[in-house]
Amino acid sequence: MSFSTFVTDKAGLQKMYEAIISKHETYAPVEKFGKYDYKKVSSLKECDPDSPIAETMSVKSLFFPRSSKIMKYEATSAGTSILETDQDPLTAQRVVLGVKHCDARGLQVLEAVNKWDYIDSDFLKRRENTVIFSARCDKAGTHCFCTSLDYDLENLDALDIAVVNGAEGKIYLQARTERGETFLKEKLEKSTMYNVQSTNDESEMKKQYVAFTASFRLKMDYKDINEKMAKRFDSPAFEEASRNCVSCNTCAFICPTCHCFKISDEKIKDTGVRYKSYDSCNNVYFTLEAGGHNPRPAKYRRWRQRSMHKFVYYKERFGVNLCVGCGHCAISCPVNISIFDVVNHIASTPVGS
Amino acid sequence: MDYSKQIQDIAAKLFADGKIDVFVGYRMNGFDDNQVPVVITDPKEVSTLVFTEKSVFNLSNYLKADHTRNKRAGLVVKGCDSRSLNLLLTESQVKRDRLYIIGIACEGVVDDKGQKMQNCIECIVPDAVVYDEMLGNPQGRKDYIVNADIKALAEKGLVERREYFEEIFENCIRCNACRHSCPLCYCAKCCIDQETASLYNGSNTASSAFHALMTWSLHLAGRCVDCRNCEKACPSHLPLHLLHKQNEKVIFENFQNHLAGVEEGERGAFYKYSLKDPDDFIM
C-alpha cells in the first residue's frame, strides 16, 4: 500500500496543529526548567513541537508510564482483597506532536518485547490508539548516531505521519502507516485552511535526508559491533570502561528503549497501592535476591549487562538492536560517558585479552 | 586556569614512587572541549590528564567506589570538592593516609554553555582546604552571601513557594541520579530504597518525590558543599540547589555561622553539640 504525501507551509502546519489540539486529546513537548517533556496540551502556545532533541525527554513515558498504578488493595488479618484495578484510561484516539524519529523507533523496538511471552496489552493498546507526528531533524546533535543503526530512517514506519522541512519554507507531510493515512486524509482532503496540496514529488525530501545524513559526527557499523560484542562477554575492557560511571541510572530512565521496571507498594495502615515504576539494571539492588545474593555485584557486570542487552541479547532474541542512537544517555550523563564510545572501544579490544 | 601539565607531572611521579595505586582526574572527551572524569591505574595514561575551567564534576564522589575504596588514591580537588572530601574524612569514609590530594586554588568552573557556574560566583571557599600540594594562587576565604534564588524565593508568599516546589516534585522522575552523584551520599542501603518504607515507594508521584527529595536534602543539611553534582546529573534539570541552599542559610544563621567542611576535622552541624545551639523548639 502506498501512502500519500502533502505539501504545505509553516503557517498551514501551525493552523493544522491548532485544529488537532482543539479536536483531539493531544500531547506535545512542554518546557519546564529548560527540559521538554510530553504533556497534555490545550493550545499550541503551551508547547513546542520543534523542541531541541537534546533537551527533550523520551516519548516512551506516554506508552510505558514512569509509574503506573496496578491496583489498590486491602490487607487485614481477615485476608487480602483487591479494591480496584488499574483501568486503562485510553479509549479514544490521541495525537502526539513533536516526536523525534529515533524516539518513535524506540516504541517500535519495544513492541517486540511487549508482544513476547507476556502480552502487555496496555502498551499495545496505547500505541494502537495514538497517532504520532514526527518531524525529521535537519541536523544531527553531538551524540546522535541514528543513521548508523539497523533501521531505515528515511522511510521510518514507526511513526504515523512524518513532517519534513523542504526548501523555501515548504513542509512535507507524509503518511507512513494506515493509521496516519486515514488521519491525514480526514484532516486535509476536505479542508482548504491549511494551504495543502497533494504531491508525488519526493525529491526535496530526499535532498533534506541527504543533507541530514551528512551532518553526523558519529558513524558506526552496527553489524560489526553486534558480532564483536557477542564474543567479548569476558572482556576486561568492561571493567575499564565502567570505572568512571557513578551508577546514577539516568541513562536508563531517559532511554527510549530501556524497559526494566520494579513493583513497589505504598501502604498506609491496611490499604495499599501497588505501583509499576521504572528501574535500571545499573542499580545495585536490581538483581539483589531476597536471600542476600547478588549475581551482578560489581559495577562492570551491570555495565556489561546494559551494553550487551542493547547490542547483543535483544538482537539475538528479536532481531533488532535495543539502541536507537538517540544519544540521550550521553547527553544526560553527569560524567559524559557515551555508549557509542564504550561499545566501540570494547569491540576494538582483542578477544580474550 | 590550566594545571594539566603540573597534574600530569605530579601523577607520574606518584606512580613512579609507588605512592598510589589509582589516580582520579579528568581527561578530554575526545571530540569537543568537555571533559570526562577518569580513574587511572596504568601510569602510561597519565599523559591524558587535564585540568581547566571545564573540570566540573566533584571527584571525591569516586572515593566511595570499588576501585578506589581501600586503595591508595591520588586525586584532584577544587575548593568545594575538598570540603566534601573533608567531610568524608571526618565521617571515617576514607583514610587520609591513603590519599594524595592535589588541591586547586580554583577560579571557578564553567557549565556546558561556557557560563561561569552560579555556585562559583557565590563561592566562599575557592581554595582547597585539605591538600598535600596546592596549585595556583590561593585567594583566601570569602564572605558568606545568601544565594540570589533563595532571596527571591523568600520574597514570594507561602502559597506561591509551595506551588513552585510542587512543580519540582511533579517533574522529578525518581531516577535517584542526584543521590548517586552526591559525594556525601554513601550509605550502603539508602533509606529511600527500603522496600518496607512505603513513603518512598519508587513511583514518580509527587508525594513519593517529595518524601525522597526532602529526606535526601535533610540528610545533607549542614553537610552539602554546593558542588552541584546533583544538578548536573538531574535529567529533568530541576533546581535542586534550592533545597540545599535554604538549609545552608538556616544552619548558617542558627548554628554559629556553620559552613560544611571548611575546617579540617570539623563535623557537620548536626553531628556536634554546642551550648549555643538553638533549643527554643524544645518544649
Side-chain angles (χ1 to χ4, degrees):
Chain A
M1 185 178 174
S2 75
F3 299 118
S4 18
T5 310
F6 297 91
V7 61
T8 178
D9 54 20
K10 179 100 186 155
L13 186 72
Q14 296 260 344
K15 266 188 208 158
M16 189 177 127
Y17 279 166
E18 270 161 20
I20 290 171
I21 292 172
S22 64
K23 260 203 177 156
H24 297 263
E25 186 182 333
T26 311
Y27 292 78
V30 175
E31 193 258 2
K32 195 79 235 179
F33 302 115
K35 191 90 183 186
Y36 293 82
D37 194 7
Y38 290 87
K39 284 177 189 159
K40 203 171 168 174
V41 291
S42 52
S43 82
L44 195 59
K45 273 180 228 145
E46 288 170 35
C47 62
D48 181 8
D50 299 320
S51 61
I53 183 166
E55 299 302 337
T56 310
M57 292 277 206
S58 166
V59 74
K60 181 181 73 173
S61 61
L62 292 183
F63 300 85
F64 168 30
R66 294 193 184 108
S67 345
S68 50
K69 228 183 202 178
I70 301 175
M71 61 172 178
K72 203 174 167 187
Y73 61 88
E74 189 177 41
T76 59
S77 52
T80 307
S81 56
I82 293 170
L83 299 179
E84 54 187 78
T85 51
D86 179 39
Q87 299 281 324
D88 190 358
L90 195 66
T91 45
Q93 194 176 53
R94 64 175 177 179
V95 183
V96 188
L97 305 177
V99 177
K100 315 299 164 204
H101 270 38
C102 44
D103 229 8
R105 165 68 179 176
L107 297 174
Q108 197 175 36
V109 167
L110 279 178
E111 246 170 62
V113 73
N114 283 306
K115 275 185 192 160
W116 191 39
D117 59 346
Y118 174 79
I119 312 267
D120 190 331
S121 53
D122 280 11
F123 180 90
L124 298 173
K125 203 164 115 199
R126 285 181 194 123
R127 181 65 193 94
E128 191 59 37
N129 286 339
T130 308
V131 177
I132 294 179
F133 273 75
S134 178
R136 186 151 78 202
C137 304
D138 291 320
K139 199 173 172 295
T142 325
H143 294 286
C144 293
F145 57 104
C146 54
T147 47
S148 303
L149 284 157
D150 55 351
Y151 59 102
D152 178 11
L153 196 89
E154 191 182 0
N155 304 305
L156 187 66
D157 58 353
L159 42 105
D160 299 306
I161 297 154
V163 184
V164 181
N165 292 327
E168 293 155 11
K170 270 189 248 171
I171 294 173
Y172 290 85
L173 293 166
Q174 189 171 52
R176 294 280 171 79
T177 61
E178 279 179 45
R179 189 166 39 230
E181 176 82 4
T182 327
F183 189 84
L184 259 194
K185 283 217 163 135
E186 219 172 78
K187 281 270 153 317
L188 298 181
E189 277 198 339
K190 286 177 205 147
S191 175
T192 50
M193 279 168 64
Y194 314 129
N195 315 332
V196 171
Q197 284 168 326
S198 186
T199 176
N200 288 320
D201 180 19
E202 291 186 9
S203 61
E204 281 205 26
M205 290 175 72
K206 183 88 198 160
K207 230 188 260 170
Q208 191 267 1
Y209 184 70
V210 171
F212 171 53
T213 43
S215 67
F216 278 80
R217 176 180 72 90
L218 301 176
K219 285 191 179 81
M220 71 150 84
D221 178 358
Y222 74 88
K223 279 185 191 149
D224 186 49
I225 297 280
N226 289 157
E227 243 169 63
K228 285 183 171 164
M229 287 290 281
K231 290 183 198 140
R232 280 165 179 76
F233 182 83
D234 294 319
S235 170
F238 281 109
E239 202 277 328
E240 205 185 301
S242 68
R243 250 183 237 158
N244 60 348
C245 167
V246 294
S247 299
C248 74
N249 308 335
T250 315
C251 45
F253 274 71
I254 49 90
C255 176
T257 59
C258 273
H259 50 273
C260 290
F261 60 86
K262 64 182 166 221
I263 304 286
S264 52
D265 283 16
E266 184 179 72
K267 192 162 175 273
I268 297 162
K269 281 193 178 166
D270 295 337
T271 51
V273 179
R274 184 154 293 178
Y275 289 103
K276 172 185 172 185
S277 322
Y278 286 10
D279 202 353
S280 158
C281 56
N282 262 350
N283 192 336
V284 65
Y285 309 121
F286 184 70
T287 48
L288 184 65
E289 293 163 9
H293 173 64
N294 195 344
R296 286 186 214 130
K299 186 164 68 182
Y300 81 90
R301 294 192 188 193
R302 301 192 286 273
W303 241 101
R304 177 170 66 196
Q305 166 62 23
R306 190 175 142 78
S307 29
M308 295 292 261
H309 196 198
K310 295 275 175 223
F311 287 94
V312 181
Y313 306 151
Y314 205 83
K315 181 92 183 170
E316 280 171 2
R317 185 156 281 158
F318 301 113
V320 284
N321 281 316
L322 193 56
C323 178
V324 293
C326 66
H328 274 119
C329 50
I331 294 160
S332 292
C333 181
V335 294
N336 305 332
I337 302 174
S338 154
I339 194 158
F340 180 92
D341 292 346
V342 170
V343 293
N344 273 293
H345 171 68
I346 288 163
S348 70
T349 55
V351 183
S353 68
Chain B
M1 192 165 68
D2 186 349
Y3 301 117
S4 311
K5 186 77 189 67
Q6 289 98 313
I7 288 168
Q8 286 171 15
D9 291 346
I10 296 167
K13 191 162 185 306
L14 288 171
F15 274 119
D17 296 349
K19 281 189 181 161
I20 53 167
D21 305 314
V22 293
F23 189 87
V24 190
Y26 307 87
R27 68 167 167 81
M28 300 309 289
N29 67 3
F31 58 89
D32 60 17
D33 60 347
N34 287 318
Q35 296 176 9
V36 185
V38 61
V39 182
I40 290 178
T41 51
D42 184 356
K44 279 182 215 141
E45 289 172 32
V46 160
S47 60
T48 59
L49 290 169
V50 291
F51 186 93
T52 65
E53 66 280 350
K54 280 274 184 182
S55 308
V56 182
F57 201 74
N58 181 347
L59 297 180
S60 63
N61 190 33
Y62 286 103
L63 295 178
K64 56 188 190 180
D66 305 344
H67 339 276
T68 39
R69 187 172 275 182
N70 304 327
K71 293 218 175 113
R72 295 170 305 158
L75 84 160
V76 188
V77 290
K78 305 182 289 292
C80 48
D81 309 352
S82 74
R83 288 170 66 192
S84 58
L85 178 56
N86 223 345
L87 282 160
L88 287 173
L89 289 165
T90 318
E91 293 168 13
S92 308
Q93 293 306 306
V94 283
K95 287 211 167 84
R96 181 69 181 90
D97 55 7
R98 287 202 184 126
L99 296 178
Y100 190 90
I101 306 164
I102 303 175
I104 305 281
C106 178
E107 290 156 28
V109 291
V110 296
D111 62 14
D112 297 345
K113 295 179 188 98
Q115 297 281 323
K116 198 169 184 181
M117 300 241 306
Q118 182 64 23
N119 57 333
C120 297
I121 297 168
E122 292 167 1
C123 183
I124 34 178
V125 188
D127 312 328
V129 286
V130 48
Y131 55 88
D132 291 300
E133 199 161 336
M134 178 76 120
L135 298 178
N137 298 320
Q139 302 149 63
R141 195 161 305 170
K142 297 186 180 143
D143 289 337
Y144 173 76
I145 42 168
V146 178
N147 178 280
D149 297 337
I150 294 295
K151 266 191 207 158
L153 209 60
E155 281 164 20
K156 285 183 186 166
L158 212 60
V159 179
E160 235 178 305
R161 247 185 294 173
R162 188 199 154 113
E163 277 168 4
Y164 184 73
F165 277 100
E166 269 172 2
E167 248 171 22
I168 296 182
F169 300 131
E170 272 161 21
N171 283 281
C172 171
I173 63 168
R174 287 303 309 282
C175 61
N176 293 343
C178 45
R179 181 190 69 191
H180 285 114
S181 60
C182 176
L184 291 169
C185 275
Y186 50 70
C187 291
K189 179 105 192 179
C190 174
C191 65
I192 64 178
D193 282 329
Q194 302 287 352
E195 292 87 357
T196 47
S198 61
L199 291 175
Y200 320 115
N201 57 51
S203 73
N204 78 327
T205 53
S207 82
S208 162
F210 168 82
H211 284 110
L213 284 176
M214 286 313 263
T215 309
W216 174 65
S217 78
L218 285 174
H219 281 183
L220 287 163
R223 293 170 72 229
C224 174
V225 298
D226 202 22
C227 67
R228 309 243 177 148
N229 265 12
C230 51
E231 272 189 15
K232 189 152 169 48
C234 183
S236 305
H237 296 348
L238 301 180
L240 297 167
H241 72 277
L242 291 177
L243 298 169
H244 302 310
K245 294 304 273 185
Q246 176 63 30
N247 286 340
E248 188 185 75
K249 175 174 170 266
V250 172
I251 282 168
F252 185 82
E253 285 166 0
N254 290 290
F255 290 82
Q256 303 94 48
N257 300 355
H258 178 88
L259 289 167
V262 293
E263 303 295 342
E264 211 167 338
E266 193 185 17
R267 290 161 173 238
F270 293 164
Y271 296 83
K272 60 177 183 186
Y273 173 70
S274 157
L275 284 173
K276 289 179 194 159
D277 284 350
D279 57 4
D280 49 354
F281 55 89
I282 300 171
M283 303 243 288

